[in-house]
Amino acid sequence: MQTVETLNEGLKRAYTLTITSNDIDARVEKEVLAIAPQVKMPGFRPGKVPANLVKKMHGESLQRDALNSSIQDGVQKLIADQKLRPAMQPSVELDEGFEFGKDAQVKVALEVLPEIAAPSVDGIKLERLIAEVGDAQVEEAAARIASQQGAFDALPDDHAAADGDTVVIDFVGKVDGVAFDGGTGEDMKVKIGSGQLIPGFEDQLVGVRKGDEKQLNVNFPDDYGAENLAGKPATFDITVKSILDSSKPRLDEDFAKSLGLESLDQLKELLKGQIEQEHNGLTRTYMKRKLLDQLAAAHDFDVPPSMVEAEFEQIWAQLQHEAGHEEDPAAALAEMEAEKEDYRAIAVRRVRLGLLLSEIGQANGVVVNEQEMNRLIMQAAQQYGPQDRERFVQYVRQDPMAAAQLRAPLYEDKVVDFLFEKAEVTERTVSRTELEAAIEAEEEGDIKPHVHGPDCGHDHHEPAPKKAKKAAAAEEAAPEAPAEDAPAEKPAKKVAVKKAAPAEAATGDAAAEEKPKKKAPAKKAAAKAE
């Protein structure tokens, strides 16, 4: 094989490879000898078919395979001989005039990774903001869970329900005097003024007392999810079981035990630990952003345009998706277009930081070991069904790019942790509000890189510039809601008269409460708004 360099400009390289017809023919002959023992042909004993007949039968496919393998081997040899580090997959083009029996001219174009001077990891100074967990935060979290669970004290029997109270009712819904499917329920909790139910339902509960029986008159909205009910007048015969004080969640031992815990103190201890984890996550986010800012300020080198373009396309695609969910998508897209060059600059910086982190990791022996990789694979496999898990595991183990995509986030975290250990770190105690404000102040400069190099699977992170940055950074900075420790109310409780409410409207702990209630039993689905 002959190699001629045709371009060496910046990070761009181009070569012409000449693969001789003799090389291709030799590969064909070798493959003929390999498959001849398995070829069957009438008139010949198995394995005794002459090589020339085998070639005549399979010659065309053998030639194509030989050409492809010659090109693949040639490109790999080129990369090894020239000591190239491709930034992306090389472009390989066979001369249009090629004919079998003649030499093949192959054009190879690629961009290489830049040579980065060994980055110094000394002199990094970081501040660790520590937010301690106060009793008030724990009490607030516990009260939030109790509120979500409807753990309220009952009001006196003669109390007249008012706005903000929770009324517990049994009900039977009817259209034209006939009970409709899914319109019957027991012990449903309705908070007056919450707007959870169809218009007019909650308003008619004002003034009821425990033990009252009353008929409510309502109209299902025209856009109601059940077609047999949409736009129709209906009545609901209700019986008031009790009235609860929604303003004061009940926090006692019985409530804690209802969650499967031993005591209220155990609930508070669990919540304190979770809030501490949230604070640690926020602290890490702040430190990482400061670290990346220092690295970006101290290093400047050219980056491969193809990598920048790939990164930019990832950013742009996500921003377009987010713009489609804005109240005014056209205005959001127009704002994006006006700031397009800013986003492209972000792509440049992210690629540069990714290459820099990769270089630091390689220079300092940072690796994802086999045990960690196995754990990543098994964790990722859990999202598939039992039949597909083994196929996924095999796919990742056989495909280097798939493995790299899975490995990249952990590799990045390990490099960042290594730099944290090397840095000179001072500590300062702040409130959670101050910690969140510090992160907010950093959002304009935050750019999460993707580590490119031996662990690069181009698993690009979310963009985070300017206004769109706040939403993008939320995934990294927002703590998990403690509602996970508290099972949601049974879905049957709010099936009959719930009005339409988009899932996107629920956030934080509210979302954790609302989502399970949307999984209504099939027999009551007809009455539920979608």
Side-chain angles (χ1 to χ4, degrees):
M1 183 184 73
Q2 297 178 349
T3 302
V4 177
E5 185 179 68
T6 58
L7 177 66
N8 188 332
E9 183 179 305
L11 300 177
K12 295 182 178 181
R13 303 287 186 274
Y15 303 87
T16 297
L17 308 182
T18 301
I19 301 174
T20 66
S21 60
N22 290 337
D23 181 26
I24 298 172
D25 291 342
R27 289 174 183 260
V28 171
E29 295 296 335
K30 183 178 180 180
E31 187 63 20
V32 167
L33 293 175
I35 68 172
Q38 286 81 43
V39 174
K40 296 180 180 179
M41 182 179 290
F44 295 92
R45 287 182 297 169
K48 299 299 182 180
V49 179
N52 63 325
L53 292 181
V54 174
K55 187 186 299 185
K56 185 175 182 179
M57 290 174 60
H58 304 284
E60 187 174 343
S61 64
L62 290 175
Q63 285 179 319
R64 286 198 302 269
D65 291 345
L67 176 62
N68 287 333
S69 64
S70 295
I71 292 175
Q72 291 175 6
D73 290 348
V75 173
Q76 293 302 316
K77 187 175 187 303
L78 166 69
I79 292 173
D81 290 348
Q82 300 293 326
K83 298 181 180 179
L84 302 175
R85 296 196 303 161
M88 302 285 280
Q89 191 73 19
S91 169
V92 181
E93 181 181 349
L94 177 65
D95 183 63
E96 292 183 358
F98 171 75
E99 296 179 2
F100 285 108
K102 297 182 178 179
D103 293 346
Q105 300 288 326
V106 180
K107 296 178 181 178
V108 180
L110 70 158
E111 291 175 352
V112 297
L113 295 175
E115 293 294 331
I116 304 173
S120 173
V121 296
D122 298 323
I124 297 175
K125 296 182 179 181
L126 298 172
E127 183 180 42
R128 179 182 289 113
L129 302 183
I130 301 175
E132 297 179 349
V133 181
D135 292 341
Q137 290 175 284
V138 176
E139 292 289 341
E140 181 182 352
R144 186 165 57 247
I145 294 176
S147 177
Q148 292 166 0
Q149 298 306 300
F152 304 120
D153 287 327
L155 291 165
D157 293 352
D158 61 350
H159 175 81
D163 188 54
D165 290 341
T166 294
V167 183
V168 183
I169 62 172
D170 294 344
F171 61 91
V172 177
K174 300 177 182 179
V175 172
D176 296 329
V178 179
F180 55 84
D181 185 32
T184 301
E186 297 180 350
D187 295 326
M188 184 175 80
K189 293 175 181 159
V190 182
K191 184 175 181 179
I192 300 176
S194 66
Q196 290 180 303
L197 308 183
I198 58 178
F201 193 101
E202 296 171 17
D203 295 340
Q204 296 177 65
L205 294 178
V206 174
V208 299
R209 291 177 169 83
K210 180 179 179 179
D212 283 357
E213 295 182 356
K214 185 176 181 178
Q215 185 178 84
L216 310 184
N217 297 289
V218 297
N219 284 287
F220 282 98
D222 293 336
D223 59 352
Y224 195 72
E227 293 183 3
N228 62 318
L229 299 175
K232 292 185 178 181
T235 62
F236 281 88
D237 297 328
I238 69 162
T239 299
V240 179
K241 306 288 285 293
S242 63
I243 301 175
L244 308 178
D245 183 359
S246 304
S247 64
K248 296 180 180 180
R250 177 172 51 83
L251 277 174
D252 55 20
E253 298 296 326
D254 289 339
F255 169 66
K257 290 177 180 178
S258 74
L259 300 177
L261 302 175
E262 295 180 358
S263 65
L264 183 59
D265 286 341
Q266 185 185 19
L267 171 61
K268 292 181 178 180
E269 192 64 30
L270 290 172
L271 290 173
K272 182 178 181 180
Q274 186 172 14
I275 296 171
E276 286 175 344
Q277 289 182 350
E278 295 169 4
H279 288 185
N280 291 339
L282 292 172
T283 296
R284 179 182 173 84
T285 296
Y286 176 78
M287 289 181 65
K288 183 175 179 180
R289 292 179 179 180
K290 288 294 188 181
L291 170 67
L292 296 182
D293 283 345
Q294 291 187 44
L295 292 176
H299 299 85
D300 185 18
F301 49 85
D302 291 339
V303 293
S306 60
M307 294 178 73
V308 172
E309 188 61 28
E311 193 78 19
F312 174 76
E313 288 176 1
Q314 291 279 346
I315 294 172
W316 201 248
Q318 182 175 338
L319 291 171
Q320 287 178 318
H321 174 75
E322 292 172 355
H325 292 82
E326 295 285 345
E327 292 184 5
D328 188 346
L333 289 171
E335 183 178 0
M336 283 170 50
E337 287 291 341
E339 299 173 346
K340 197 167 188 175
E341 290 309 308
D342 292 337
Y343 292 115
R344 195 174 296 279
I346 285 169
V348 172
R349 177 174 147 159
R350 283 174 58 177
V351 170
R352 183 177 290 120
L353 280 170
L355 291 172
L356 187 58
L357 288 176
S358 177
E359 193 72 23
I360 292 172
Q362 292 180 67
N364 293 278
V366 178
V367 296
V368 174
N369 61 42
E370 185 176 355
Q371 182 179 0
E372 292 170 330
M373 190 63 197
N374 288 337
R375 185 169 62 250
L376 288 174
I377 294 174
M378 298 314 299
Q379 288 174 347
Q382 296 307 308
Q383 64 183 302
Y384 299 96
Q387 296 180 348
D388 294 327
R389 285 175 190 166
E390 185 59 32
R391 292 171 55 193
F392 171 79
V393 172
Q394 292 178 357
Y395 164 68
V396 173
R397 295 194 186 283
Q398 294 172 3
D399 189 314
M401 284 293 286
Q405 284 184 332
L406 202 59
R407 184 189 302 112
L410 178 57
Y411 184 77
E412 175 184 310
D413 283 342
K414 295 190 73 170
V415 175
V416 169
D417 287 338
F418 167 79
L419 290 172
F420 283 168
E421 292 176 2
K422 301 291 290 185
E424 179 183 333
V425 180
T426 57
E427 296 184 351
R428 178 161 59 96
T429 301
V430 296
S431 67
R432 175 166 180 155
T433 301
E434 290 172 325
L435 177 54
E436 290 173 338
I439 293 174
E440 180 80 10
E442 286 295 309
E443 280 186 351
E444 290 298 324
D446 171 55
I447 300 173
K448 282 184 70 179
H450 170 62
V451 177
H452 301 277
D455 291 274
C456 177
H458 302 289
D459 179 23
H460 300 280
H461 297 283
E462 68 276 4
K466 298 197 174 180
K467 293 182 180 178
K469 210 168 166 350
K470 293 183 180 179
E475 181 179 347
E476 180 184 53
E480 295 180 1
E484 188 174 334
D485 288 320
E489 184 179 353
K490 294 181 181 179
K493 297 292 184 70
K494 291 191 179 179
V495 173
V497 289
K498 189 172 183 180
K499 73 174 184 178
E504 297 82 26
T507 58
D509 297 325
E513 178 191 24
E514 190 65 26
K515 289 178 182 177
K517 295 179 182 176
K518 295 194 175 185
K519 298 178 182 178
K523 68 178 182 178
K524 296 194 176 184
K528 184 181 178 185
E530 297 297 332

